[in-house]
Amino acid sequence: MKISSSPISLTKASTELIAVNASEESYSKFLKGKASTSSPLQQINSITKGAFLAISSKKMEKPKKGSSFTVEFPTEKKFKGVLVYVGTPEDESVRKFAASIVQASKSLKLYSCVAISEDINLVHYSDSLLEGLELSSYKFNKWKSAPDKSPQLKEVTIASQDKLSAKTISKIRTIIDGVTLARDLGNLPANECFPTTIAETAREIGREHGLEVTTWNKKQLQKLGANAILAVAKGSSEEAYLIRLKYTPANSSSKRNIAIIGKGVTYDTGGYSLKPAGSMDGMKFDMCGAAAVLGAMKVIAQLKPSVEITAYIPTCENMINGEATRVGDIITTLNGKTVEILNTDAEGRLILADAFAQAVKDNATEIIDLATLTGGVIVALGTYCAGLFSNNDALAQKLLETSNEAGEKLWRLPLIEEHRDDIKSSIADLKNIASHRWSQAIIGALFLEEFAGNLPWAHLDIAGVADSDKAIGYTPKGATGFGVRTLVKYLLSIGSN
Ligand code: BES
Ligand code: ZN
Ligand code: ZN
């Protein structure tokens, strides 16, 4: 897709689709016939000799934020269709406007577009529009014997005074590439995405973009004492790995070394605490934390913030065979803490425990993890919002702000101290589940905290948002790539150069 911005005026523009992002107020004025002659809506109306107002007042009688409609003008010379989106001056609204452009282009079969904003002024307007257009254009075609070759939106001109610089375009495209990588990896079926696939992808990113990559295989994990990862992987014939990707800036402006950690269970059957059939569907997405971390590292390696960042990915399959972990087995994790495994389906916290311990050993100064950890977080927050847990208010606040800018919804949940006793085992240091069914997202988070070594730590439980069962706005059906943009924005804001 060719995207440019120029101070083009509607009366001069010649394109297939005109997309207008109008505020509630300006749409309302237009309906009442009170819009000024310079208003794009009014200009379209003059060109169409009043037909546009007549149709608009039928299609959307009152302005409704976030709603849109399209009108076709097959015999018009200057354009063949118009999209009206009622937006607000927020980046997220502009991204949704972009998504409605992509949808309108598809349904009206119009492939060049001029996007105009009426009364909506934003510093990063063009950036957000570009971001939304690119995010909305994602397709996962790999397993279709007849891939979707239908034409796609080819060209968008953003009518704007400030020019989109080549540097900005390239930066945004680099970020979207990271999201695409995370979506692609997430969408791979589990018979095409093994722990080895995750390790190979990490090595490839490292090779291509100059990151230092370490992978610990089974033997090396044994030596390291990463027995939690090994315990989860025991029932699978696929080898498990702990992967580390290290980004070292040329000039570091701080002494911080930020660890980002992603859960990489390429398939979660539950193990001997077997999931019911209906709950197993979708468990190929149990590596979406890992995918987001890999996507973010690919971006970081190219945008080069001036702060040290190390990614850790524990990856394995949670399967069953004669050697698989039994319910009641006790293991010694990488940092020496012992865990009684009372539910083999609470495996994410186990593999993350070893990854956390390695990050602490490597002198991380803070930890952020992303994990499809609990069904409980979906019960609490649903499928559009991830749960945030943190032992550090400043870190939590910053992540909430960044995720809000990125349009990735996060809601902070509490680490209720009273529940800490629930994960104390009578015969080991910890047990991996509580003996009640309540507050599972909190229990999972409290378990992770035991391995964070008192560092500032934030945990994003992305079980509800990592994949979507339908396309909505700029989010596709399947893997969403949730977390990549929040991580990247957060890390760039710390080491901005
Ligand atoms: N991978 C699941 C969590 C999950 C559930 C992700 C639904 C996406 C959708 C995790 O490993 C798990 O099974 N958690 C258990 C924990 C329980 C046994 C304490 C759960 O949430 O049921
Ligand atoms: Zn599980
Ligand atoms: Zn899992």
Side-chain angles (χ1 to χ4, degrees):
M1 193 190 314
K2 216 176 115 199
I3 300 172
S4 58
S5 71
S6 78
I8 187 168
S9 81
L10 204 152
T11 41
K12 297 222 176 77
S14 176
T15 185
E16 294 186 357
L17 175 68
I18 304 268
V20 184
N21 183 13
S23 70
E24 278 187 295
E25 203 189 340
S26 54
Y27 183 69
S28 183
K29 264 193 194 162
F30 169 65
L31 284 184
K32 290 178 189 147
K34 289 187 183 155
S36 75
T37 47
S38 62
S39 139
L41 293 171
Q42 188 54 43
Q43 286 174 346
I44 295 169
N45 197 41
S46 316
I47 295 169
T48 60
K49 304 189 178 60
F52 182 53
L53 175 56
I55 302 171
S56 299
S57 51
K58 283 204 187 98
K59 291 223 172 188
M60 199 193 286
E61 284 172 46
K62 267 195 261 160
K64 205 171 148 237
K65 266 187 250 172
S67 292
S68 63
F69 65 89
T70 56
V71 188
E72 287 182 89
F73 291 105
T75 55
E76 197 54 61
K77 284 200 187 68
K78 283 180 173 295
F79 47 81
K80 302 289 171 214
V82 177
L83 161 76
V84 178
Y85 178 87
V86 178
T88 55
E90 284 152 321
D91 293 312
E92 182 62 357
S93 169
V94 179
R95 283 188 284 261
K96 288 183 177 158
F97 169 49
S100 69
I101 293 178
V102 174
Q103 276 151 19
S105 153
K106 237 182 255 163
S107 63
L108 302 181
K109 300 195 169 53
L110 302 175
Y111 304 109
S112 70
C113 171
V114 169
I116 301 187
S117 150
E118 169 146 348
D119 249 15
I120 291 178
N121 303 307
L122 256 181
V123 185
H124 299 297
Y125 187 81
S126 304
D127 302 19
S128 299
L129 196 51
L130 169 57
E131 195 178 26
L133 287 167
E134 297 279 0
L135 284 170
S136 310
S137 306
Y138 177 80
K139 269 190 189 162
F140 187 67
N141 262 336
K142 214 171 161 187
W143 271 269
K144 289 275 191 200
S145 47
D148 178 5
K149 287 215 178 98
S150 54
Q152 273 203 319
L153 185 56
K154 276 196 201 74
E155 189 176 356
V156 178
T157 309
I158 303 171
S160 163
Q161 291 301 327
D162 44 272
K163 223 170 155 37
L164 257 179
S165 68
K167 196 175 164 202
T168 307
I169 295 180
S170 136
K171 178 180 166 184
I172 293 170
R173 291 218 158 115
T174 303
I175 296 173
I176 305 303
D177 268 2
V179 177
T180 302
L181 171 75
R183 287 176 177 176
D184 281 347
L185 264 181
N187 283 328
L188 283 177
N191 65 336
E192 292 282 343
C193 180
F194 298 102
T196 330
T197 320
I198 306 273
E200 269 164 15
T201 308
R203 285 190 209 106
E204 213 174 282
I205 295 171
R207 251 196 323 271
E208 218 169 289
H209 302 289
L211 300 175
E212 194 185 317
V213 179
T214 315
T215 54
W216 285 271
N217 63 14
K218 184 175 177 182
K219 258 202 178 142
Q220 293 158 328
L221 289 171
Q222 281 165 344
K223 232 169 134 189
L224 193 66
N227 297 312
I229 299 177
L230 291 166
V232 176
K234 253 172 96 187
S236 163
S237 39
E238 294 297 322
E239 188 162 18
Y241 297 91
L242 174 60
I243 305 162
R244 179 176 62 193
L245 294 92
K246 186 161 185 201
Y247 163 75
T248 311
N251 312 298
S252 180
S253 61
S254 79
K255 292 209 164 63
R256 288 161 78 167
N257 175 14
I258 305 172
I260 56 174
I261 306 184
K263 171 178 171 182
V265 174
T266 57
Y267 199 72
D268 183 11
T269 67
Y272 275 112
S273 312
L274 191 62
K275 284 183 184 297
S279 310
M280 224 180 283
D281 176 27
M283 281 304 135
K284 70 167 188 177
F285 296 115
D286 214 17
M287 35 58 72
C288 283
V293 164
L294 280 177
M297 284 311 274
K298 185 174 172 184
V299 181
I300 289 306
Q302 295 172 81
L303 299 186
K304 304 188 192 310
S306 53
V307 63
E308 202 167 291
I309 299 158
T310 315
Y312 296 84
I313 294 169
T315 179
C316 64
E317 278 186 336
N318 190 19
M319 307 285 278
I320 298 175
N321 63 16
E323 285 172 54
T325 292
R326 290 155 289 250
V327 172
D329 285 1
I330 294 180
I331 50 148
T332 304
T333 62
L334 205 155
N335 72 3
K337 284 193 184 180
T338 57
V339 180
E340 186 183 10
I341 301 176
L342 287 179
N343 190 317
T344 60
D345 196 14
E347 84 297 340
R349 62 199 72 180
L350 294 172
I351 66 170
L352 288 166
D354 279 345
F356 274 46
Q358 185 60 38
V360 172
K361 203 168 139 187
D362 290 344
N363 299 317
T365 58
E366 71 194 85
I367 296 178
I368 301 170
D369 79 84
L370 281 86
T372 46
L373 205 72
T374 67
V377 83
I378 314 177
V379 177
L381 297 174
T383 55
Y384 301 111
C385 181
L388 167 70
F389 292 90
S390 181
N391 59 2
N392 185 291
D393 290 344
L395 174 59
Q397 195 48 39
K398 187 84 206 241
L399 281 169
L400 287 171
E401 281 164 21
T402 336
S403 70
N404 185 43
E405 280 166 28
E408 296 183 320
K409 291 188 185 60
L410 262 191
W411 194 261
R412 191 172 179 186
L413 295 170
L415 293 158
I416 307 276
E417 273 311 309
E418 285 81 347
H419 277 308
R420 206 173 286 281
D421 277 347
D422 299 350
I423 49 168
K424 298 253 157 77
S425 160
S426 53
I427 50 172
D429 298 335
L430 297 166
K431 54 185 182 183
N432 75 331
I433 53 158
S435 49
H436 56 77
R437 297 187 303 121
W438 321 123
S439 50
Q440 283 184 0
I442 298 176
I443 301 287
L446 285 168
F447 185 91
L448 294 181
E449 193 184 6
E450 293 289 328
F451 294 86
N454 295 322
L455 294 174
W457 152 75
H459 159 58
L460 277 66
D461 193 334
I462 59 169
V465 296
D467 65 285
S468 173
D469 53 14
K470 59 173 185 294
I472 174 161
Y474 56 82
T475 308
K477 180 175 159 71
T480 60
F482 186 102
V484 174
R485 288 179 306 118
T486 295
L487 275 178
V488 167
K489 267 182 199 280
Y490 173 75
L491 297 168
L492 289 181
S493 76
I494 291 170
S496 56
N497 47 19

